[in-house]
Amino acid sequence: MSVEDGVLAGFGALLVLLFVWTAISSFIDLIRAVASQGWPVARGTVVTSGWKSEGRRGFAPVVVYRYEAGGQRREADRIAFWGFLATSTFSESSAEAWSQRWVEGWDVDVRHHPTKPEIAVLVPGLNARILLSVLSAVLLVGMCVSTAVLFLIL
């Protein structure tokens, strides 16, 4: 194996690790999204609501809310479980529309993890973004692994 091949193999291995990490974090979000439908509900209050630019990546809705769970007052900003496609892939109008669903000062239902109450969400359950996130991650890992196998065979 030449030095160039070694560098390419190392780079490929790093990409595989990155995509595996992405897949794992997306699956964790997927599991939490499904489970969140049955999580305890706490009353919360919207602290801030708006959207921000993430530069070339797009826009992100921003909703910060406070709630009480596990005997402590908490603050969170998770709107939904979106996987690695997270919040910065929204168009400006979509980010604005999402943020307008919650107005500062409004009371909201906050779903929180039963044993880790710091994990909270406003919109529980599955959504298109988490499903696309998991599918994309699986495809990326598959492409990397198949490319690595072909690289080793050839």
Side-chain angles (χ1 to χ4, degrees):
M1 182 183 294
S2 69
V3 172
E4 292 84 13
D5 288 345
V7 169
L8 283 175
F11 181 71
L14 284 175
L15 275 179
V16 168
L17 288 176
L18 173 68
F19 293 145
V20 166
W21 172 253
T22 301
I24 290 170
S25 65
S26 293
F27 275 112
I28 290 170
D29 265 6
L30 176 68
I31 291 165
R32 286 181 175 163
V34 171
S36 67
Q37 296 175 74
W39 286 356
V41 178
R43 289 302 290 162
T45 304
V46 176
V47 178
T48 59
S49 179
W51 54 273
K52 64 181 178 179
S53 171
E54 295 283 347
R56 290 183 176 178
R57 291 179 19 201
F59 297 86
V62 179
V63 179
V64 178
Y65 48 93
R66 287 193 183 111
Y67 62 102
E68 195 166 313
Q72 292 184 6
R73 190 172 174 159
R74 302 176 185 276
E75 190 170 282
D77 62 0
R78 180 177 288 112
I79 296 172
F81 290 103
W82 286 322
F84 79 93
L85 292 177
T87 58
S88 61
T89 56
F90 284 85
S91 67
E92 183 175 7
S93 60
S94 181
E96 185 177 13
W98 268 95
S99 67
Q100 287 178 350
R101 293 175 63 179
W102 298 276
V103 176
E104 189 174 319
W106 277 12
D107 290 335
V108 291
D109 285 338
V110 178
R111 301 271 183 157
H112 62 85
H113 192 286
T115 59
K116 298 177 184 173
E118 67 276 7
I119 300 173
V121 66
L122 290 177
V123 181
L126 291 175
N127 59 73
R129 284 180 178 269
I130 186 63
L131 296 174
L132 182 60
S133 181
V134 169
L135 178 63
S136 299
V138 168
L139 289 174
L140 288 171
V141 169
M143 287 178 7
C144 281
V145 169
S146 62
T147 302
V149 168
L150 285 174
F151 179 76
L152 292 173
I153 291 173
L154 303 176

